[in-house]
Amino acid sequence: MNTLEVRNLTVSIEGETILKNFSLTIPKGEVHALMGPNGTGKSTLAKVMAGHEDYTVESGEVLLEGVNVLGKEPDEIAHAGLFLAFQYPLEIPGVSIANFIRAARAARLPEGEAINAVEFYKELYEKMDALKMDRKFTARSLNEGFSGGEKKRCEILQMSMLEPRLCVMDETDSGLDIDALKIVSDGVNLMRGPDRSFLVITHYQRLLDYIVPDVVHVMYDGQIIRSGDAELAKELESKGYDWIKEAHEAATAGV
Amino acid sequence: MSETHLQNEAIHVDTERGNFSYPENYEFDAGVGLTEDTIKYISDVKNDDDWVREFRLKALEVFRKKPMPTNWADKDLENIDFDKIRYYLSKGQTPSRSWDEVPDDVKETFERLGIPEQERKFLAGVEAQFDSEAAYSRMKEDLEKEGVIFVGSTEGLAKYPEIFRPYFGKVIPTADNKFSALNSATFSGGSFIYVPKGVKLKQPLQAYFRINAENFGQFERTLIIADEGAEITYMEGCTAPKFETATLHSAVVELVALKNAKIQYITVQNWSSNVFNLVTKRGLADEGAEVKWIDCNIGSRLTMKYPGVVLKGKGARGEVLSIALANDGQHQDTGAKMMHLADNTTSNIISKSISIGKGRSTYRGQVHMPKHLKNCKNNTECDALLINTNSRTDTYPAITTRGQNNTVQHEASVSKVSAEQIFYMMQRGLSEGEAMSLAVNGFVNDLMKAFPMEYSVELKRLIDMEMEGSVG
């Protein structure tokens, strides 16, 4: 079964249509990159899939492992296996990273079951070590006063602790220097496996040198206008988005 | 997640625990309304000394003369109909020393509220008041041997006038405000505590104030004296069933910390949403002494409460740490007063309020440092958290500082739990209620660390339930 199937999704916000009959399929275990210029609807897609309420779904379906998640609450979608690494992670003052992740894990347990604190911290520390995060970070308020790079590492830490089946990463590379980019990418690569799929949303090809995708999609004006293998990203890097925009506009004008 | 969700009516999940009542069955009932005869009835039942009778009747006059403070306070006060309230209801004046002797309905009430269990676990003594009088009162025997006195107001004034009379009504005079006058006229129950020189209580004493009857006013009176070098922690909790009609709770609490003594007074107020909670609390701190108020207001319809410390002796310290949670239909009007009357006195006020839905929080602070004083310090922080756009919060700090090397620091902040923060937390798998609860707990987190463990656990539980309820 495919991990994700987006079928003919049309979405608007305040009367403006952002996603236009958008479709995308990610088979189990694959990493797909979604690229494209700013303002083409990449982040909108991520938020709609995660259940953000600001958007109006005009038509279409989002199937997560065969089950339509549109209209479900964000926590239900999270429990169904979708994790969204935010482009701009929110600050939650007074709530420590450790407590937050623990609460998120606890929310997935059946009623009456509790988390084993010793095992939890052991796992948390191992995963922090892999992301080269200082263990003292666990006591800090979530994202409060973090640098851009720290926030993104913290997103990946949460992602690895919550073990989602579909990881949606929204511009995780923005705000990262090259060292942080490598560390974050290593963390993601460790999570790759036959039962987990990724949708890596990025503006730049750079990230895809480290997280090598199975498929690259180019998005423009609310739709995917071209798909290919990892080479497509490199072609875009050298030719720029204008090349593909022009090609698309020429093609649609001819219809 | 939607705005309308966030604005949902408050659901009283947590007050549900206290939302039950037993049929009325009282031996003593002063009837409805407040006249000289009501006061005389209370005095007769209690067999008050003449000076207490006079004290009460004089207070009634003051109460009648004082206007309602509606020129600055919530107009909702006008909805209190003093002629429809019952001022004294009891089954008897002597509390039992054993839970087995407590009448069944009263015993069951306190069992449902978990009081006997808490007593076994971590308390040095408990007084459990049911409407106007304590039904149960007991302190560990070793404390009695050390000379600690822990009795109700009637017994305190009748049996130990030499200890309590010099301070009774002195920290908070009858005429302090309309409701202190009302309490001075009608007071019944509460705790009178004396801790002898140098005696340090390791475990807290606790009082639980329970209102069972409808159209009722509870007017407990508490006076705690910690003699030189003594230390005591006192905790109070309160609940009432939810009635259609208004219930009145108007207490007076006076604390006296003599030289180098320490008093810590903790309140977790969780009245039902029909209770007017109009309480006057003030402590006197002598040289080197410390008075600390930890005040948590979760319930009630309108609370007006500004615990104060009169820093009378050199080097005295005063502190007010408060958390107020105002859900739909509630107004938490709280704050603190610090009166610096000697050199080298320090005070600290930290106030955190959370307003949800149409709930309203107000902070009123007063810090007074006159010109002739030296080296006094005050720190005031008030932070408000708003959960949705209809919430209202006001801050009225009044700070007067003169003199040499006196410093005052005041910080205030207002923050909101945004829909994006909630979305972020829900994306991690938390329900909306869990997300809000986490945000609120995060907001009060640094203050909670100052609380005794048993109470921070209870407070966290109440906040969790209140937040779960507020999203429906």
Side-chain angles (χ1 to χ4, degrees):
Chain A
M1 189 190 293
N2 293 317
T3 304
L4 177 72
E5 277 181 54
V6 182
R7 291 182 186 161
N8 307 104
L9 185 63
T10 297
V11 168
S12 65
I13 183 164
E14 289 166 1
E16 190 189 348
T17 307
I18 309 287
L19 298 179
K20 298 171 181 170
N21 206 28
F22 180 97
S23 294
L24 168 69
T25 297
I26 304 181
K28 215 171 168 180
E30 290 193 3
V31 176
H32 286 215
L34 186 64
M35 302 184 70
N38 289 327
T40 53
K42 303 191 296 293
S43 290
T44 296
L45 174 70
K47 286 187 187 170
V48 169
M49 289 199 301
H52 198 291
E53 59 163 11
D54 281 358
Y55 300 91
T56 307
V57 176
E58 311 282 354
S59 59
E61 287 180 316
V62 174
L63 304 179
L64 190 62
E65 298 192 320
V67 178
N68 190 13
V69 297
L70 287 183
K72 290 192 176 179
E73 290 291 318
D75 54 330
E76 294 177 281
I77 300 172
H79 292 196
L82 184 143
F83 183 95
L84 171 60
F86 280 55
Q87 183 176 6
Y88 303 108
L90 280 292
E91 297 184 0
I92 315 291
V95 178
S96 72
I97 292 181
N99 280 344
F100 183 65
I101 298 177
R102 206 171 152 167
R105 286 263 281 246
R108 287 164 167 75
L109 293 177
E111 205 158 323
E113 275 187 42
I115 283 179
N116 178 322
V118 177
E119 283 172 19
F120 172 78
Y121 274 98
K122 187 167 171 274
E123 186 187 339
L124 183 66
Y125 287 147
E126 278 170 11
K127 287 180 169 163
M128 289 179 81
D129 290 349
L131 287 164
K132 296 196 167 56
M133 290 174 81
D134 192 329
R135 289 184 180 187
K136 284 183 200 137
F137 247 76
T138 51
R140 284 182 58 180
S141 286
L142 187 64
N143 295 324
E144 198 180 31
F146 286 20
S147 70
E150 286 168 340
K151 283 183 183 172
K152 294 302 171 72
R153 263 188 244 194
C154 183
E155 291 293 285
I156 303 306
L157 175 68
Q158 293 174 48
M159 189 163 93
S160 66
M161 288 296 288
L162 297 177
E163 301 184 339
R165 288 200 283 284
L166 175 65
C167 303
V168 180
M169 297 166 59
D170 190 4
E171 306 239 2
T172 299
D173 50 335
S174 67
L176 291 184
D177 62 30
I178 195 74
D179 293 329
L181 189 69
K182 278 183 192 164
I183 293 164
V184 163
S185 301
D186 287 346
V188 171
N189 287 328
L190 276 175
M191 289 181 69
R192 286 176 81 155
D195 293 326
R196 184 170 291 137
S197 307
F198 291 79
L199 179 62
V200 181
I201 295 172
T202 180
H203 190 67
Y204 300 104
Q205 186 266 337
R206 192 178 67 154
L207 176 67
L208 305 180
D209 284 341
Y210 301 98
I211 304 172
V212 180
D214 298 299
V215 180
V216 173
H217 305 280
V218 181
M219 189 169 176
Y220 179 66
D221 193 24
Q223 287 178 317
I224 288 173
I225 55 170
R226 189 172 300 201
S227 301
D229 59 15
E231 288 305 308
L232 175 60
K234 289 186 178 140
E235 204 177 345
L236 272 175
E237 183 76 359
S238 59
K239 293 186 182 170
Y241 285 114
D242 284 346
W243 153 70
I244 213 150
K245 275 193 237 174
E246 281 159 22
H248 173 68
E249 271 154 19
T252 45
V255 174
Chain B
M1 259 306 285
S2 66
E3 202 72 346
T4 48
H5 256 142
L6 290 172
Q7 288 167 14
N8 243 333
E9 294 293 301
I11 293 170
H12 305 276
V13 181
D14 83 276
T15 50
E16 283 309 312
R17 190 178 177 198
N19 190 14
F20 61 89
S21 63
Y22 286 87
E24 291 186 12
N25 168 24
Y26 296 99
E27 199 82 12
F28 304 93
D29 181 348
V32 176
L34 183 61
T35 65
E36 276 81 3
D37 287 343
T38 320
I39 303 303
K40 282 175 186 159
Y41 179 87
I42 296 172
S43 277
D44 286 347
V45 164
K46 289 178 172 291
N47 203 13
D48 279 340
D49 283 345
D50 286 347
W51 74 270
V52 179
R53 288 174 185 266
E54 279 164 33
F55 179 91
R56 288 183 187 277
L57 288 167
K58 225 175 126 191
L60 181 64
E61 273 176 52
V62 176
F63 168 72
R64 285 174 173 164
K65 278 184 199 148
K66 286 235 170 212
M68 275 289 203
T70 38
N71 56 326
W72 59 271
D74 196 320
K75 297 274 181 291
D76 192 20
L77 282 178
E78 285 164 4
N79 293 318
I80 303 172
D81 189 344
F82 292 104
D83 295 332
K84 286 192 177 155
I85 290 172
R86 294 184 290 175
Y87 290 81
Y88 184 87
L89 289 171
S90 84
K91 292 171 189 277
Q93 284 72 48
T94 314
S96 303
R97 302 281 167 191
S98 153
W99 284 109
D100 291 337
E101 293 162 18
V102 173
D104 284 347
D105 53 345
V106 179
K107 186 180 161 192
E108 277 168 32
T109 297
F110 289 111
E111 273 174 355
R112 286 174 75 165
L113 297 165
I115 309 304
E117 192 191 341
Q118 288 178 3
E119 181 184 13
R120 285 193 296 274
K121 276 188 184 162
F122 65 91
L123 299 172
V126 171
E127 180 199 300
Q129 180 163 340
F130 192 82
D131 293 331
S132 296
E133 297 284 2
Y136 173 85
S137 176
R138 190 186 164 92
M139 180 174 63
K140 287 190 173 167
E141 278 162 17
D142 52 328
L143 294 177
E144 266 173 53
K145 282 179 197 148
E146 288 194 78
V148 177
I149 300 170
F150 179 44
V151 294
S153 55
T154 309
E155 194 181 342
L157 291 174
K159 267 198 190 168
Y160 310 97
E162 72 287 359
I163 292 177
F164 292 113
R165 194 173 169 183
Y167 293 102
F168 176 73
K170 296 297 192 298
V171 186
I172 301 171
T174 297
D176 189 83
N177 64 74
K178 190 171 178 73
F179 294 95
S180 62
L182 177 62
N183 176 283
S184 298
T186 58
F187 71 91
S188 180
S191 307
F192 272 43
I193 298 172
Y194 171 75
V195 187
K197 272 185 194 174
V199 173
K200 295 174 183 180
L201 270 63
K202 289 182 194 73
Q203 289 176 306
L205 293 174
Q206 177 172 292
Y208 200 92
F209 298 101
R210 173 69 181 175
I211 293 176
N212 184 66
E214 198 169 356
N215 297 326
F216 175 68
Q218 190 175 54
F219 308 98
E220 88 269 11
R221 180 103 191 181
T222 289
L223 172 57
I224 300 175
I225 302 167
D227 211 328
E228 294 183 8
E231 292 181 14
I232 174 178
T233 295
Y234 178 88
M235 317 205 288
E236 62 169 356
C238 27
T239 58
K242 189 170 188 287
F243 293 119
E244 290 303 311
T245 55
T247 301
L248 178 58
H249 174 254
S250 195
V252 165
V253 177
E254 298 174 290
L255 309 182
V256 178
L258 297 178
K259 193 174 173 184
N260 297 325
K262 285 186 184 174
I263 301 178
Q264 178 166 264
Y265 191 106
I266 304 162
T267 304
V268 175
Q269 177 271 105
N270 192 22
W271 293 118
S272 54
S273 57
N274 59 314
V275 175
F276 284 92
N277 184 43
L278 310 166
V279 173
T280 312
K281 289 180 165 172
R282 197 169 302 150
L284 191 73
D286 232 323
E287 191 179 332
E290 183 181 294
V291 170
K292 186 173 184 175
W293 299 97
I294 295 180
D295 202 46
C296 310
N297 293 291
I298 310 252
S300 83
R301 168 170 167 175
L302 169 65
T303 284
M304 289 173 67
K305 191 191 331 172
Y306 322 97
V309 184
V310 179
L311 301 148
K312 191 174 160 240
K314 280 185 183 169
R317 296 178 302 280
E319 193 162 20
V320 174
L321 307 178
S322 71
I323 292 176
L325 187 87
N327 221 322
D328 267 0
Q330 291 183 296
H331 184 183
Q332 305 285 9
D333 194 328
T334 60
K337 291 181 184 178
M338 292 293 176
M339 298 309 199
H340 292 254
L341 300 183
D343 293 343
N344 303 313
T345 47
T346 54
S347 59
N348 185 36
I349 301 167
I350 303 177
S351 157
K352 300 230 180 200
S353 70
I354 301 129
S355 310
I356 308 158
K358 296 184 186 89
R360 186 179 162 196
S361 303
T362 304
Y363 169 82
R364 292 179 210 271
Q366 196 179 356
V367 177
H368 181 67
M369 281 182 200
K371 197 174 175 179
H372 62 277
L373 298 185
K374 291 191 299 257
N375 303 321
C376 298
K377 277 185 202 147
N378 164 262
N379 174 57
T380 300
E381 293 169 36
C382 32
D383 299 321
L385 183 72
L386 304 182
I387 298 183
N388 96 41
T389 49
N390 285 346
S391 301
R392 173 171 173 185
T393 182
D394 305 288
T395 304
Y396 305 99
I399 298 173
T400 52
T401 175
R402 297 195 187 95
Q404 292 177 325
N405 297 323
N406 292 337
T407 59
V408 176
Q409 189 176 321
H410 179 90
E411 284 176 35
S413 76
V414 178
S415 49
K416 279 189 176 187
V417 178
S418 69
E420 287 304 307
Q421 282 171 309
I422 298 292
F423 173 66
Y424 182 71
M425 291 187 271
M426 289 180 79
Q427 207 298 306
R428 300 310 185 238
L430 301 173
S431 69
E432 188 181 4
E434 287 166 343
M436 293 226 277
S437 172
L438 206 58
V440 170
N441 277 300
F443 174 70
V444 297
N445 190 27
D446 51 343
L447 202 51
M448 292 268 243
K449 286 175 188 156
F451 289 23
M453 210 257 291
E454 292 82 2
Y455 265 51
S456 61
V457 168
E458 171 69 1
L459 195 61
K460 187 179 177 311
R461 190 188 66 82
L462 291 177
I463 290 173
D464 287 350
M465 287 178 135
E466 193 74 15
M467 299 317 294
E468 277 295 319
S470 71
V471 298

